[in-house]
Amino acid sequence: GISAQAKVAIDKAAEIWSNILVSDVPIKINLNWVNASSLGFLGVCVSNGVKDFPNAPLTDVWYPSCLADAYAGTDLNPNQTDMDIYLDSSRNWYFGIDGNGPGNQFDLVNVALHEICHGLGFYSIANIDFQGIGSFSLEIDPNTSLLASFPIPNLAGKPLIFDLFIENQQGDLLANTNMFLNPSLGLANQFTSNNLFFNGSNATSANNNIPPKLYAPTTFSFGSSVLHLDETDFAPHTDDAVMTPYSSPGEANHNPGPVTVGILQDLGWSIHSTFIIHESENEVLNFHPNPVEDDVCFSFKSNKKQFVELSIYDLQGRKVKTLLKEFMFNGFNTFIWNVDVNSGCYLVVLKSDDVFFSRKMIVK
């Protein structure tokens, strides 16, 4: 039911993820463009799951089927989709792919990126029932089950791979059943504590060595609580705002962000060593990957032919290295650097006739 206009934007979101993820197996998305005005959502994703597959890193753990396929090197469910996504066709959408929509329209690329990311594994089936008991992988909202084109497997309380990284402020892992029975009132208290974090090493490194905070408000909301980044820590229009629970009109982020990509890495996804994302005309400088180990690819926009300097500084403000110092052409320019500095946190600084722009980069 998708319109031609909407398809362009959704294809763009798929292209962005294609430039980031590594898999020999195509990822299958069943997308439904439906009037959901009575239901109140912008988009919903239901992710297919597999456990105990060939080359599975962990037993008795559910993986998104597309990640399981990447590990197995083959399509484990050739007759099933990897994710079902529903987008509300009745919304006032911006269908452009440049991120420059008006302030009264929802950016479709941004929302599609978000829903696809859930299907890639940024996903948990945490729930609190009517008796106030919390659980992982035991109860699924009936409406969610109706949206799936594939048979919902019996998860039997076994954790999703995302669940294994959820911890509280004290560093206690919520999937540790010796500490939090599944189901239990204790889990419900954690789900509504406003103090849950994702403790993966890549995500933490990308977040200035602080485990990124997850969305766990005092009022639980199935499908929002636990499986998003916290809105207060990752404000709209910042790098990782694409995976917060709310998207506002005018908010357009076409870069999944280093913390979001770090979370996917922690789940097990392989990431292209270099990839370029520069969809938004408002983005002055992008570089990926971040954190970086070997090569990093910079892309930056110049509004005219001008002299440009790209440099690396330490956090004390000392210049460590000048990467580029020359005239660049109007439009997007790219530069690949084979990293030759010690591990640590640095500032990437771009200077030109009319721009001074800096952003943190972590070298592993």
Side-chain angles (χ1 to χ4, degrees), residues 9-151:
I10 294 162
D11 283 348
K12 187 62 177 178
E15 177 190 333
I16 292 170
W17 280 120
S18 295
N19 289 333
I20 298 173
L21 305 175
V22 176
S23 177
D24 292 330
V25 185
I27 297 172
K28 297 173 292 183
I29 299 173
N30 179 35
L31 194 134
N32 300 271
W33 186 246
V34 296
N35 187 326
S37 56
S38 62
L39 301 177
F41 64 75
L42 279 175
V44 169
C45 177
V46 185
S47 178
N48 204 346
V50 184
K51 72 178 180 70
D52 300 327
F53 49 88
N55 300 324
L58 299 168
T59 59
D60 261 359
V61 174
W62 290 96
Y63 287 77
S65 60
C66 49
L67 178 54
D69 290 349
Y71 273 119
T74 188
D75 191 341
L76 299 168
N77 292 303
N79 297 319
Q80 296 179 15
T81 184
D82 292 309
M83 62 188 84
D84 290 315
I85 294 176
Y86 289 78
L87 295 172
D88 182 7
S89 62
S90 70
R91 298 286 181 150
N92 185 15
W93 291 107
Y94 178 65
F95 298 109
I97 61 173
D98 58 3
N100 285 328
N104 65 336
Q105 290 185 320
F106 291 97
D107 187 275
L108 184 53
V109 175
N110 182 86
V111 175
L113 278 174
H114 176 108
E115 298 304 337
I116 293 172
C117 190
H118 282 313
L120 298 172
F122 204 120
Y123 198 70
S124 173
I125 303 179
N127 196 20
I128 297 179
D129 66 18
F130 292 115
Q131 285 74 43
I133 303 299
S135 64
F136 280 120
S137 302
L138 284 178
E139 293 195 29
I140 301 174
D141 186 295
N143 292 324
T144 304
S145 301
L146 291 173
L147 296 175
S149 65
F150 47 84

Side-chain angles (χ1 to χ4, degrees), residues 302-318:
S302 178
N303 293 317
K304 59 186 179 182
K305 184 178 179 181
Q306 60 181 321
F307 191 80
V308 171
E309 181 179 335
L310 183 66
S311 304
I312 304 296
Y313 288 76
D314 64 21
L315 295 186
Q316 285 71 47
R318 297 183 292 256

Side-chain angles (χ1 to χ4, degrees), residues 38-361:
S38 62
L39 301 177
F41 64 75
L42 279 175
V44 169
C45 177
V46 185
S47 178
N48 204 346
V50 184
K51 72 178 180 70
D52 300 327
F53 49 88
N55 300 324
L58 299 168
T59 59
D60 261 359
V61 174
W62 290 96
Y63 287 77
S65 60
C66 49
L67 178 54
D69 290 349
Y71 273 119
T74 188
D75 191 341
L76 299 168
N77 292 303
N79 297 319
Q80 296 179 15
T81 184
D82 292 309
M83 62 188 84
D84 290 315
I85 294 176
Y86 289 78
L87 295 172
D88 182 7
S89 62
S90 70
R91 298 286 181 150
N92 185 15
W93 291 107
Y94 178 65
F95 298 109
I97 61 173
D98 58 3
N100 285 328
N104 65 336
Q105 290 185 320
F106 291 97
D107 187 275
L108 184 53
V109 175
N110 182 86
V111 175
L113 278 174
H114 176 108
E115 298 304 337
I116 293 172
C117 190
H118 282 313
L120 298 172
F122 204 120
Y123 198 70
S124 173
I125 303 179
N127 196 20
I128 297 179
D129 66 18
F130 292 115
Q131 285 74 43
I133 303 299
S135 64
F136 280 120
S137 302
L138 284 178
E139 293 195 29
I140 301 174
D141 186 295
N143 292 324
T144 304
S145 301
L146 291 173
L147 296 175
S149 65
F150 47 84
I152 298 288
N154 179 9
L155 301 178
K158 301 300 182 183
L160 275 61
I161 183 62
F162 185 89
D163 301 333
L164 299 185
F165 295 90
I166 303 171
E167 67 178 20
N168 61 19
Q169 198 166 30
Q170 291 73 42
D172 304 321
L173 291 170
L174 269 60
N176 181 354
T177 54
N178 292 323
M179 186 165 290
F180 301 103
L181 292 177
N182 184 28
S184 68
L185 178 62
L187 277 180
N189 291 335
Q190 295 298 319
F191 294 164
T192 55
S193 65
N194 199 31
N195 273 306
L196 292 185
F197 304 86
F198 189 94
N199 79 338
S201 59
N202 289 289
T204 298
S205 179
N207 195 44
N208 297 320
N209 295 317
I210 300 170
K213 190 176 183 181
L214 298 174
Y215 181 65
T218 54
T219 300
F220 184 83
S221 176
F222 182 84
S224 290
S225 295
V226 182
L227 65 155
H228 289 100
L229 293 173
D230 187 74
E231 194 87 28
T232 55
D233 278 31
F234 300 93
H237 307 289
T238 56
D239 282 353
D240 285 283
V242 72
M243 285 315 293
T244 60
Y246 301 110
S247 182
S248 303
E251 183 177 348
N253 193 336
H254 296 183
N255 179 349
V259 172
T260 299
V261 173
I263 286 175
L264 294 184
Q265 287 180 285
D266 289 325
L267 300 182
W269 280 105
S270 294
I271 305 299
H272 284 295
S273 59
T274 59
F275 58 92
I276 303 168
I277 302 175
H278 51 61
E279 283 70 30
S280 172
E281 296 294 327
N282 296 320
E283 289 288 338
V284 177
L285 173 70
N286 277 295
F287 52 88
H288 303 277
N290 187 27
V292 58
E293 292 186 62
D294 301 308
D295 292 336
V296 59
C297 185
F298 299 94
S299 70
F300 49 91
K301 181 175 182 277
S302 178
N303 293 317
K304 59 186 179 182
K305 184 178 179 181
Q306 60 181 321
F307 191 80
V308 171
E309 181 179 335
L310 183 66
S311 304
I312 304 296
Y313 288 76
D314 64 21
L315 295 186
Q316 285 71 47
R318 297 183 292 256
K319 184 184 287 188
V320 176
K321 199 171 191 68
T322 298
L323 303 181
L324 192 68
K325 198 172 184 179
E326 60 185 73
F327 278 96
M328 302 300 289
F329 293 105
N330 178 32
F332 281 105
N333 300 273
T334 61
F335 175 78
I336 295 177
W337 175 40
N338 182 255
V339 177
D340 57 356
V341 297
N342 295 329
S343 60
C345 189
Y346 296 86
L347 288 176
V348 179
V349 176
L350 177 70
K351 300 178 186 177
S352 68
D353 295 347
D354 51 6
V355 169
F356 181 92
F357 188 88
S358 67
R359 180 172 290 174
K360 285 185 180 179
M361 177 176 70

